[in-house]
Amino acid sequence: MVALVPTGQHIGERDTFLNFIRAQREAVIRASFGLTEEQAASRPSVSELSLSGLIKHVAEAELNWLRLAQERPNERQRAEENWGEGFRLVDGETIPEVVAFWQGVAEETEEFVRSVPSLDDTFPLPPAPWFPKDGRVSVRWMLLHLVQETGRHAGHADIIRESLDGKGSFELIDLEKRSS
């Protein structure tokens, strides 16, 4: 697994977006490589964030954007009373289970992006104080947002991992390659 996003002369816009999102997903997941469930759930700073919680959060966030774009209900929609559970593993959840869930979401995202007639197609934003009233965004905007959101959390994951044992992403890439 490399850190450089694949390039190519004949790669289209959709594949470019999907490759960048895939690279960011891998970076978030990679940060937990070789850790125990307990280590990945630890919070080495005053932040509430843990590696396992970040993986779960970003997976659920991607599902949410996918369901919005599909204009379908989100089966994992969080309410105020269980909002915090989206940032930590609960009820015996494990990192492999959450990663498998995210991989399923990723496959569905890729299928959707490849099937939509145009990246200019739009969908409505839900009512929320941070969204414009009756706002709409394009599938292209959603893809850029997923790159931004997942990349932002990949940076959080890097910092948490480095705080736990000093391992950075390039070292983890090397360790991952050698263990394959």
Side-chain angles (χ1 to χ4, degrees):
M1 184 172 309
V2 298
L4 181 65
V5 176
T7 62
Q9 240 179 3
H10 304 290
I11 189 169
E13 183 181 23
R14 292 172 201 241
D15 285 325
T16 300
F17 280 126
L18 293 171
N19 284 341
F20 271 87
I21 294 167
R22 188 178 306 114
Q24 295 308 314
R25 281 187 204 112
E26 290 170 357
V28 173
I29 294 167
R30 182 183 309 117
S32 69
F33 180 75
L35 296 178
T36 65
E37 294 283 339
E38 293 75 25
Q39 289 170 313
S42 68
R43 300 184 335 246
S45 72
V46 296
S47 169
E48 290 291 319
L49 296 176
S50 68
L51 288 173
S52 56
L54 274 173
I55 293 168
K56 181 177 179 180
H57 166 68
V58 184
E60 288 188 2
E62 182 172 336
L63 176 66
N64 191 58
W65 280 106
L66 175 62
R67 293 297 182 252
L68 287 170
Q70 293 170 323
E71 299 187 54
R72 291 178 37 197
N74 180 352
E75 62 273 23
R76 289 208 181 192
Q77 185 66 46
R78 297 276 170 198
E80 189 174 334
E81 54 274 1
N82 70 350
W83 182 257
E85 291 178 9
F87 292 88
R88 66 182 181 278
L89 303 191
V90 296
D91 300 329
E93 292 175 317
T94 66
I95 292 172
E97 290 170 347
V98 175
V99 168
F101 162 71
W102 197 3
Q103 288 169 336
V105 171
E107 288 171 15
E108 196 175 340
T109 298
E110 292 196 14
E111 288 171 18
F112 173 75
V113 169
R114 292 186 196 292
S115 72
V116 71
S118 171
L119 296 183
D120 293 324
D121 289 357
T122 65
F123 58 91
L125 292 169
W130 47 88
F131 292 138
K133 183 175 173 29
D134 300 321
R136 297 184 70 83
V137 294
S138 68
V139 174
R140 179 180 289 102
W141 182 96
M142 178 195 75
L143 292 169
L144 284 166
H145 180 71
L146 287 175
V147 170
Q148 176 191 36
E149 179 79 6
T150 311
R152 188 169 180 227
H153 288 311
H156 293 140
D158 284 345
I159 291 169
I160 294 170
R161 179 58 188 255
E162 289 174 13
S163 297
L164 290 172
D165 65 4
K167 287 187 175 67
S169 61
F170 291 114
E171 183 178 359
L172 291 171
I173 289 169
D174 184 52
L175 288 171
E176 207 171 26
K177 279 183 177 180
R178 285 191 277 142
S179 73
S180 298

